[in-house]
Amino acid sequence: MDNILSQTKTDCSYKEGPLPQCAPLAVGFVPVQQNSDPQYKSEDALARGTLFPGLDLPWKNIVNKNAPDTPETELMALHFVITELGMYLDTHKNDKEALDVLVKYIKLYNEGYERYVKLYGSLELTDVTNAGF
């Protein structure tokens, strides 16, 4: 009996996970991400529901439209990307490039959040303590 691992595709792109070539059609499969997969821009990731195009499997091929370009939407998109990268790094702990991108997005988010609160007021209940009540 052949070892099923010896039949696994190894030359897969980010849109093709490593499945055995002769796998039965009824086997459930969770996509496995490769290190440094391509990434959507943050506003596109928020609309698509994933940062990674290889995991973007829209139901009935319906694609959400991007939200209007507002300061709050920008913060939501940055927060979404931070969350996605955090989950990615849970399973790809040695991906230094992804960690560097995460640090960059956290810095952008914190700067944008502070600027938003100064211009428009608090976003969260925890901001009330800084409002001078």
Side-chain angles (χ1 to χ4, degrees):
M1 182 170 179
D2 288 341
N3 181 351
I4 198 161
L5 294 176
S6 67
Q7 297 175 7
T8 302
K9 288 176 72 174
T10 56
D11 58 339
C12 300
S13 75
Y14 71 92
K15 290 187 177 187
E16 300 169 322
L19 273 177
Q21 290 177 348
C22 299
L25 295 177
V27 171
F29 178 69
V30 176
V32 177
Q33 291 175 270
Q34 300 175 18
N35 283 354
S36 302
D37 283 351
Q39 300 171 4
Y40 286 127
K41 294 187 297 182
S42 57
E43 60 272 11
D44 295 333
L46 181 64
R48 301 299 298 222
T50 183
L51 177 61
F52 303 101
L55 299 180
D56 189 3
L57 306 167
W59 185 69
K60 291 192 174 183
N61 223 14
I62 297 171
V63 177
N64 295 329
K65 294 180 182 173
N66 287 2
D69 189 19
T70 65
E72 192 170 9
T73 304
E74 287 180 37
L75 284 176
M76 287 172 37
L78 287 170
H79 190 271
F80 181 81
V81 168
I82 290 166
T83 303
E84 285 278 286
L85 283 170
M87 290 188 294
Y88 172 81
L89 285 167
D90 284 343
T91 57
H92 297 78
K93 295 183 186 317
N94 296 325
D95 192 339
K96 173 86 169 97
E97 183 180 339
L99 180 60
D100 293 343
V101 172
L102 175 65
V103 170
K104 178 182 121 186
Y105 275 105
I106 289 173
K107 183 179 179 193
L108 284 172
Y109 178 82
N110 289 335
E111 291 170 357
Y113 189 91
E114 288 178 23
R115 190 169 40 251
Y116 184 94
V117 170
K118 284 180 185 174
L119 291 171
Y120 304 107
S122 63
L123 277 171
E124 300 178 15
L125 290 174
T126 55
D127 293 334
V128 173
T129 58
N130 299 326
F133 288 103

